[in-house]
Amino acid sequence: MSLPDTLLIGTTDLQTVPGIVVTDVSGLRSPVRRRGDSYVVPGRTGQVGVGKVVDAYAFTVPIAVLPDDGSGATPASAQARRAQMLANLDAVAALMPSGLVTLKRRLSTASSYVEHVAAGEYVDGLAAALLNAETGETELQFVNLDGCWYDTTTTATITSGTSTVAGTVDTRNMVITFGGAATLTNTTLGVHLQVSAGTVIDVQAGTSSAGLDKIVAWGGDSQDALFALRPGSNVLTGSGSVAYKAAWS
Amino acid sequence: MSAVTAWLFAADGTTMLRRLDTARDLGFTDAGLSSEAEFRIPLSDAADLTAGRFVKLRYADGFRAGILLGAEQVDVSTDGRWLSFRQSREMRPGLLWDGIVMPQSYPAYGVRRRVAEDRWWGFMDPSFDDSGWSAPGSATRLVDYVRYPSFPQGLTDVDPNACWVSLSDGALSINESTWFRGHNINIASAGIYRLHLCSDDTADWYLDDELILQVKGDGNTLSQATTIDQYLAVGPHVLAVKVTNENGVAGELVNEIVYSITTLVDDGNGGLKAGTVVARSAASTVLICTTTMGEPGVTRAKALLDLVNEAKVRATTHPNGVSKLTPTFTGTLDSAGVAFTDLGEFSLPILTTRYDEAFLQLAEDVVDVDINVSTLQLNVWVRRGSDKRTTVAMMPASNATSLSTTKDLARLTHMFARTADGVLVETVDAAAEAAYGRVEGGQSVGAVRSLRTANNLNLAALAASSVPTVEFDAQPIGGAYTTWGMGDTVAVTNHRGGTLAAARVLGIRVDGRDDEATVTPELVEDRS
C-alpha cells in the first residue's frame, strides 16, 4: 500500500528520486517546541509563566537507498547495483540545499493529503550505512526554522465578528487589508492594530504597503507581533480583513 | 514578558520605515532625560541606517527609547560583522545634541555687538510676565537733587522721578527686597548711551539679561549715582533692579531707585557728557514687586519652552533636533495641567551650553522632564507618575525574583552655613535629633547674603540626610510600563521583609534577549 505522506525539498518529492524510499514519516509530525523561560520567585510556589513562541526544531526523515534506476529496474551486476545505489544517494545530495529552502510536507487525509510549508534548512544525513552490499539507509536531518507548518495558500479571510481559525498553533502569518483609518482588535487574544489610512500590512514581515508610518499603534501580543490569531474561535472587532495562513504543529 | 524590538524611523522622527529584525542585544535605560539605548545589527543589514535617522526600541507595547543615528552622543563601533550603536551619554534620545543656548532675543544665529556671557531667565528677562506687578502710584516724586546729590542735573529733558515701594505695601524688614522694572526704554538709534543709576540701598542692576552693576549700600544712606556707558541696540530694553535694605528702622524701611538714560554728547573739552534723556524712572515707566506680592521669578518650564521655541525658529536656516520636539506644557502648567510652583531665576552660559546640558540643569530634581519617544513630545511634570502603593507591591513570594534593601543611619541633624557676610546660620531638624541623636554638618553657600536663603539651603541639606536612607535593589517580574512605570511610587518589602516602604521608580532598565527581557527598576525611597 502506498501512502502520500512525504517531504518535498522545494518542489521535489523525496520519493521521486530513483531508489529512495521514505521509511518513517513521524518526523513530519513533530510537536512544536517553545522557547523562553518562566521565572522562579523566592517563596512563591511553582514558577511565574511568561508568554512563549514556538521555536525552530530539528526533525529527521529516515530513507532507504535502493539500487533501482529511474525506471524501477535493477542493474544486473552487483557492481552496477552498487553504483546505482551511490548514484541515487548523489541524487538525494543534489536535492539538499546548501542554504535555506522551503520544505513542504504531505500528510494523509481520509481520501487525499494536505500540504503544509515551512522555511527549512538541511543539516546532515548523507553518510549512508549499508544494509547489504547494494542497499543503504540514512536519516536526513532538517531544521524547521518557522517552528511550525503553514498552509500553502491563504487559509481564509476573516473580518469583524466571530470566526473559527484553523490550525493548531497561534498564527502571525497573515496579511491585513485596511480600507482606511481603522482599528482592528482581536478580543480573544487582546491584541489590536490601529492604522491612520488604507494600507496592506504583512504581519509576519512587518511591512506596510502605504508605509509603516500609517501604523498608529499596536500591542497586546506577548511577543510584540503586529497582530495574532488563535486556533479556534476568535472575536474580531473594528474594520480590516485578515487573510491568514493557519499554523500547524 | 514582551520582547524588545527595534524599528527604523526617517529623519523626521515619526515616519516608521521598517522593523530591524536582525538587530540584537537590544537594551535601554529609561530614566527621563538621562536615558541610554544600545543595539547591534549585522553590517549587511545596516545600509539604510544613515545619519539623521532614528532607531527606536519598543517594549511593552510602546516605544521606550531611541537613538539618533550619527548624533554626537552615539558611539558606533564594528567588529567587521556587526555594527554596534550605543547612546551612552545623557539625554534621551540623543535628540538635542545640536542645540546650543544662544543669546536672548536672537533666534537666528549671529551674535550682537555686545552680549552677556550668561543667558538669564528671571524678572530681568524682557519677556518676563510682570502683569502682577504694581505701579509706584503716588509713591514717586521728582528727583531731589539734595537727596541725590550726585545725580546729573541740568539735562535737556524731563528729570527722572524717584520711585519707591509704598509703606501701604507692607513694612519691609531688614534684608527684604523689592524688585523694580523699567519699561518704555525704546532706543531709536543704536549707539552708546549713559545710564545714571542710584538706589537705596544695596542693589543689583540688570539691563535686559545682563547684570551690569552691583551696589553695596550701607544702610540708611543712598548709594552714589553710578554712570555706565552701554551700547544699546535699536528696540525695546528692560532695566531691572533688585534692591535690598541692609539697615534701618524696621517698619519704616522702603526701597527706592532713580535712573535716567541719556545720550552722550561732546563736552567741548575732548570728552563726553550726558545729553538728551531718552528714558527715565517715573510712575508710568516703572513697576514694583514686593515680597508681600511673592518673589518674582520664572518657572523652569518657561525657560525650557523659550529654548525649544527659539530652536524651532533657528531650524529654518540651521536644522536641529530640538525643532522636532513638541512641548506639551506651558510656562505655568505642566503636561498634566498642574501649575508649576518653582519660580526662580536661572542662567546658562551662552554659545557653549548644549541643549542636553541645559535641559538637565534646568530640570535638576525640581521637575520631571522627558521626551515621548513615539511622538517626540517634550513633557514636563511637577511630579511624574502617581502613588500606586495600594495596588503595586514588589516583594518575594509575589513578583520579584530578587529584592534587597539597605538602610543607612541618619547622617545630619544639625546644619550650619556661613553666608557671604560671615553670619553663621544654624538649622536643626528637632525630630531627627530626637530620634537619632545630634549629628552636625556644615556647608558652604558661597556668595549668598540672605539669611533666609542660607536657612533654606540648610533645610534642603537636612531633608536629604536627616532620616535614614533606604536603597532598594529589585528584580520584578512583569508590570513595567503596565501596572507601574516611570515616576510611580510603589510599595517594596522593607528591610528584612518587614513593613512596606514607599519607593519611587526613577528609571527602568530593560535588557532584551530574543523574546525575553530583563527589567530592573531604579528605586529610591519616596519621602514626599
Side-chain angles (χ1 to χ4, degrees):
Chain A
M1 181 179 66
S2 175
L3 293 174
D5 305 71
T6 187
L7 181 70
L8 281 70
I9 314 297
T11 58
T12 305
D13 183 354
L14 262 182
Q15 296 193 118
T16 63
V17 178
I20 300 300
V21 176
V22 175
T23 58
D24 183 2
V25 296
S26 61
L28 302 180
R29 191 58 176 80
S30 299
V32 295
R33 297 173 183 172
R34 296 182 184 272
R35 66 170 187 258
D37 295 321
S38 296
Y39 288 88
V40 174
V41 175
R44 177 171 175 160
T45 58
Q47 296 186 358
V48 177
V50 294
K52 302 179 181 68
V53 289
V54 295
D55 199 4
Y57 64 88
F59 65 94
T60 58
V61 178
I63 59 171
V65 187
L66 305 178
D68 299 347
D69 64 15
S71 64
T74 304
S77 69
Q79 184 170 347
R81 290 195 292 276
R82 169 74 66 86
Q84 184 63 50
M85 184 270 288
L86 293 173
N88 293 345
L89 197 57
D90 286 344
V92 174
L95 271 182
M96 298 303 131
S98 58
L100 306 178
V101 69
T102 298
L103 300 175
K104 181 186 289 183
R105 71 178 181 183
R106 286 178 182 162
L107 297 177
S108 290
T109 60
S111 59
S112 179
Y113 59 82
V114 292
E115 289 185 335
H116 299 139
V117 295
E121 182 179 19
Y122 165 73
V123 179
D124 198 5
L126 291 173
L130 291 180
L131 293 174
N132 56 39
E134 57 201 41
T135 305
E137 69 170 359
T138 186
E139 288 187 348
L140 300 176
Q141 296 181 13
F142 299 91
V143 172
N144 182 336
L145 294 169
D146 280 339
C148 61
W149 299 85
Y150 292 110
D151 283 350
T152 55
T153 57
T154 298
T155 307
T157 299
I158 60 177
T159 56
S160 179
T162 302
S163 304
T164 299
V165 173
T168 57
V169 182
D170 287 2
T171 182
R172 297 173 176 85
N173 191 341
M174 66 191 74
V175 173
I176 305 177
T177 302
F178 291 97
T183 300
L184 183 66
T185 303
N186 183 347
T187 60
T188 304
L189 285 176
V191 299
H192 66 275
L193 175 60
Q194 181 184 1
V195 295
S196 60
T199 185
V200 178
I201 292 174
D202 186 328
V203 172
Q204 192 87 314
T207 60
S208 169
S209 63
L212 282 176
D213 59 309
K214 300 300 182 294
I215 298 177
V216 177
W218 76 96
D221 183 78
S222 62
Q223 300 301 330
D224 204 32
L226 293 173
F227 207 72
L229 295 171
R230 172 161 293 173
S233 178
N234 285 255
V235 178
L236 302 189
T237 61
S239 302
S241 63
V242 183
Y244 74 93
K245 292 180 179 178
W248 307 84
S249 59
Chain B
M1 193 172 293
S2 301
V4 183
T5 52
W7 298 74
L8 181 65
F9 281 73
D12 63 8
T14 54
T15 301
M16 193 157 52
L17 299 177
R18 74 179 176 105
R19 190 174 62 196
L20 299 177
D21 289 332
T22 57
R24 292 292 179 272
D25 295 342
L26 307 151
F28 63 90
T29 300
D30 181 357
L33 292 178
S34 303
S35 296
E36 300 176 352
E38 60 190 316
F39 72 99
R40 64 177 178 142
I41 193 168
L43 276 170
S44 57
D45 192 29
D48 56 352
L49 271 64
T50 53
R53 289 183 167 181
F54 295 84
V55 173
K56 298 184 184 180
L57 303 184
R58 186 181 160 88
Y59 175 75
D61 297 346
F63 291 102
R64 308 298 178 185
I67 289 177
L68 171 58
L69 302 175
E72 186 179 343
Q73 292 95 331
V74 178
D75 298 326
V76 185
S77 60
T78 181
D79 60 1
R81 187 168 169 231
W82 292 88
L83 197 58
S84 300
F85 294 85
R86 179 177 176 79
Q87 182 236 311
S88 57
R89 291 172 221 174
E90 290 180 331
M91 193 59 218
R92 162 216 288 278
L95 290 173
L96 309 180
W97 63 283
D98 45 7
I100 298 291
V101 175
M102 298 296 287
Q104 189 171 45
S105 305
Y106 282 75
Y109 278 111
V111 180
R112 57 180 160 167
R113 182 173 168 184
R114 176 192 172 112
V115 298
E117 293 180 351
D118 292 329
R119 170 76 183 275
W120 283 86
W121 283 270
F123 64 93
M124 72 294 290
D125 181 343
S127 63
F128 176 73
D129 179 11
D130 57 9
S131 56
W133 293 32
S134 61
S138 60
T140 60
R141 64 164 178 265
L142 192 63
V143 63
D144 178 351
Y145 294 112
V146 176
R147 189 173 172 83
Y148 294 91
S150 59
F151 215 81
Q153 303 179 43
L155 300 179
T156 58
D157 210 318
V158 182
D159 289 333
N161 289 178
C163 300
W164 68 89
V165 55
S166 170
L167 285 175
S168 61
D169 289 328
L172 297 175
S173 301
I174 295 174
N175 288 324
E176 283 195 330
S177 301
T178 306
W179 294 265
F180 298 85
R181 276 171 63 84
H183 289 263
N184 300 329
I185 304 174
N186 287 302
I187 301 300
S189 58
I192 304 292
Y193 290 82
R194 177 158 292 177
L195 282 66
H196 312 267
L197 311 171
C198 191
S199 64
D200 176 9
D201 50 8
T202 292
D204 295 334
W205 290 83
Y206 298 88
L207 181 64
D208 297 334
D209 56 350
E210 182 184 5
L211 179 64
I212 57 171
L213 175 65
Q214 285 185 296
V215 179
K216 181 73 172 81
D218 56 357
N220 286 324
T221 59
L222 294 163
S223 62
Q224 293 294 302
T226 303
T227 58
I228 295 176
D229 294 341
Q230 182 97 2
Y231 173 83
L232 295 178
V234 174
H237 297 267
V238 170
L239 187 64
V241 56
K242 175 183 178 182
V243 184
T244 304
N245 259 316
E246 299 283 351
N247 198 1
V249 180
E252 295 182 356
L253 296 173
V254 292
N255 290 333
E256 188 172 13
I257 63 158
V258 59
Y259 69 81
S260 67
I261 301 175
T262 64
T263 58
L264 285 174
V265 295
D266 191 342
D267 66 358
N269 297 315
L272 295 170
K273 66 177 183 179
T276 308
V277 174
V278 296
R280 65 191 179 90
S281 55
S284 59
T285 60
V286 172
L287 289 175
I288 294 177
C289 177
T290 69
T291 49
T292 58
M293 302 164 67
E295 291 195 16
V298 298
T299 64
R300 287 164 173 76
K302 171 65 167 58
L304 290 173
L305 211 53
D306 286 349
L307 289 174
V308 172
N309 289 336
E310 290 172 11
K312 286 178 181 293
V313 174
R314 284 201 301 271
T316 56
T317 52
H318 296 80
N320 58 70
V322 184
S323 63
K324 300 186 176 81
L325 299 177
T326 304
T328 60
F329 56 93
T330 69
T332 55
L333 299 176
D334 76 356
S335 297
V338 179
F340 292 111
T341 58
D342 60 315
L343 290 174
E345 301 168 25
F346 320 104
S347 68
L348 294 169
I350 62 168
L351 302 178
T352 57
T353 307
R354 290 200 323 252
Y355 265 31
D356 52 353
E357 299 166 342
F359 276 41
L360 286 166
Q361 286 184 35
L362 288 172
E364 291 182 335
D365 295 330
V366 179
V367 292
D368 292 324
V369 182
D370 190 23
I371 295 171
N372 183 318
V373 178
S374 289
T375 59
L376 296 187
Q377 290 174 316
L378 177 63
N379 299 315
V380 177
W381 295 278
V382 173
R383 181 185 172 90
R384 187 181 185 181
S386 56
D387 188 346
K388 296 184 175 176
R389 281 178 293 171
T390 57
T391 56
V392 180
M394 296 183 184
M395 62 182 81
S398 174
N399 62 353
T401 57
S402 67
L403 189 144
S404 64
T405 59
T406 306
K407 185 181 290 184
D408 295 328
L409 290 177
R411 287 175 290 178
L412 299 169
T413 60
H414 280 67
M415 183 63 75
F416 299 91
R418 192 176 297 281
T419 67
D421 298 335
V423 178
L424 192 64
V425 179
E426 178 184 7
T427 309
V428 181
D429 185 332
E433 183 181 10
Y436 309 109
R438 182 185 178 98
V439 188
E440 295 182 351
Q443 65 176 339
S444 169
V445 293
V448 168
R449 279 198 294 269
S450 165
L451 301 181
R452 184 170 56 184
T453 301
N455 187 58
N456 287 338
L457 291 170
N458 278 349
L459 286 173
L462 287 176
S465 64
S466 61
V467 296
T469 57
V470 181
E471 295 179 356
F472 307 97
D473 184 10
Q475 191 84 59
I477 302 300
Y481 298 111
T482 52
T483 58
W484 54 270
M486 289 288 296
D488 287 340
T489 298
V490 301
V492 175
T493 300
N494 206 347
H495 192 52
R496 296 180 179 172
T499 58
L500 291 177
R504 189 165 186 234
V505 181
L506 281 191
I508 302 175
R509 172 69 194 175
V510 178
D511 287 304
R513 179 176 58 81
D514 296 333
D515 42 51
E516 294 177 16
T518 303
V519 179
T520 309
E522 180 190 352
L523 300 172
V524 296
E525 185 178 13
D526 188 347
R527 295 178 178 173
S528 61

